[in-house]
Amino acid sequence: MSIDVTASFAFEFDQPTSALLQFEAAALPEQEILDCSTQITPTAHFARVPAQDSIGERIWLNGEGLIEIDYRATVETRRDLHELESLGALPPHTLPGEAVSYLLDSRYCPADSFQSLVIKEFGDTTGGARIAAIRDWIAKHFSYVPGSSDATTDATDSFIARQGICRDYAHVLVTMARASAIPARYVACFAPGVDPQDFHAVAEVFLADPNVERGGTWQLVDATGMADLHNTVKIGVGRDAADVSFVTSFAPMTFHRSRVEVATNP
C-alpha cells in the first residue's frame, strides 16, 4: 500500500540563525519513496547530513526572516510486524552495540527511576508481553489532551499528570521499556488515522527476532492506538523527541504554522 504525505510549516528568525530540520520520509528497506518534493525558502546555507542511526536525513539551514517549507511524498510501505506477545527479550549483555544507547536514560526518558514501578506493575511479564502490557496500561490510564504538555515535559511529568499527546505517550512507553531492560527508541513519523493529523510519534522496541537465532528486531508500538503501524512512514529515530524534532533552532524563533495530511492508496 502507498501513503501520500503532505506537510508544510513556517517559522521566522529575526537574525541569522542556524536550524536543524528533519521532516522527510526516510528511505528504508521497509518503506520505498516512490515520489517526493521538498521546497524550502532559499537561505544562506543549506546542507544535508545523515540522521540518527543513518535513518533519514537532517537538513542544516542558516537563514534570516521567514522560512517556509512544503513537502510532498508518496511512500510504499512493506513493514514486517510481529505480534508483540510472541516475541522474547534479549539478555542485555547479548545486545548489539547499536541497541545499547537505547537502554540508557535520556533527556525526556529517566528510565532508572521507573525500575521499581515496572517490576511492581508488570513483574509477571517479560519481553514482548511486557511491552504489550505497558502499551495497554498507558492507553487505559492516560488521556490524550492536546496542549497539556510542552517542550519541557518529560516522562515523569506525563506519568504524574496521566495525560499528554503522542510525544508524551511515546516517552512514557520508551521509559518503561528501558526500565525493563528492553531497548526502546522514539520514532517520528507520518501515520494514517491520527486525529488530529500532525507529525506523529510512536515507540520502537528491540526484541528477539523469531526468524534469526540470537538476532533482534525493531518493532513499532503506539500507545495512543491511533496509528496504522503497518502503514506508518518513518521520518527518523532517536533517544527521545530532542533527537528528532522536525525543527530545532539554535536561537530564538517564531513558529507560525504547521499542517500535515496523510492518506492511504490501495
Side-chain angles (χ1 to χ4, degrees), residues 32-143:
E32 180 183 358
I33 300 172
L34 303 179
D35 186 46
C36 67
S37 170
T38 299
Q39 296 183 342
I40 300 178
T41 302
T43 58
H45 179 81
F46 177 100
R48 292 181 175 274
V49 293
Q52 184 90 2
D53 293 353
S54 294
I55 294 177
E57 290 184 328
R58 295 180 174 124
I59 295 173
W60 272 118
L61 297 181
N62 184 274
E64 185 177 7
L66 181 66
I67 311 293
E68 296 183 293
I69 291 92
D70 288 289
Y71 173 68
R72 299 176 184 274
T74 299
V75 183
E76 183 177 313
T77 55
R78 37 178 178 266
R79 181 165 293 111
D80 184 19
L81 294 177
H82 301 278
E83 288 293 329
L84 284 175
E85 292 84 350
S86 71
L87 302 179
L90 292 167
H93 63 276
T94 69
L95 291 170
E98 68 196 51
V100 172
S101 64
Y102 297 112
L103 283 176
L104 308 177
D105 282 11
S106 60
R107 176 177 175 182
Y108 294 111
C109 300
D112 284 356
S113 61
F114 280 75
Q115 287 177 350
S116 297
L117 183 144
V118 297
I119 291 172
K120 179 179 179 181
E121 192 71 36
F122 310 109
D124 60 344
T125 61
T126 61
R130 169 77 61 95
I131 297 300
I134 291 171
R135 176 200 61 199
D136 295 345
W137 187 93
I138 297 170
K140 178 180 178 180
H141 291 89
F142 277 55
S143 298

Side-chain angles (χ1 to χ4, degrees), residues 1-5 34 73-77 192 231 262-266:
M1 178 178 290
S2 65
I3 312 298
D4 289 333
V5 174
L34 303 179
T74 299
V75 183
E76 183 177 313
T77 55
N231 294 307
V262 184
T264 59
N265 289 313

Side-chain angles (χ1 to χ4, degrees), residues 181-227:
I182 297 172
R185 61 191 184 187
Y186 182 98
V187 181
C189 58
F190 298 110
V194 173
D195 184 23
Q197 186 57 257
D198 204 342
F199 291 99
H200 194 51
V202 299
E204 196 169 38
V205 295
F206 194 71
L207 295 165
D209 189 335
N211 300 316
V212 180
E213 185 177 358
R214 289 181 287 186
T217 175
W218 285 105
Q219 296 288 301
L220 293 175
V221 190
D222 184 12
T224 72
M226 291 192 292

Side-chain angles (χ1 to χ4, degrees), residues 22 52-53 58 101-111 151-156 166-175 178 184-189 200-204 236-246 248:
Q22 190 171 0
Q52 184 90 2
D53 293 353
R58 295 180 174 124
S101 64
Y102 297 112
L103 283 176
L104 308 177
D105 282 11
S106 60
R107 176 177 175 182
Y108 294 111
C109 300
T152 68
T153 303
D154 69 6
T156 300
C166 59
R167 171 187 185 275
D168 308 303
Y169 279 61
H171 281 156
V172 174
L173 197 152
V174 165
T175 300
R178 292 179 188 169
R185 61 191 184 187
Y186 182 98
V187 181
C189 58
H200 194 51
V202 299
E204 196 169 38
V237 303
R239 295 164 299 173
D240 53 37
D243 284 345
V244 71
S245 172
F246 68 92
T248 301

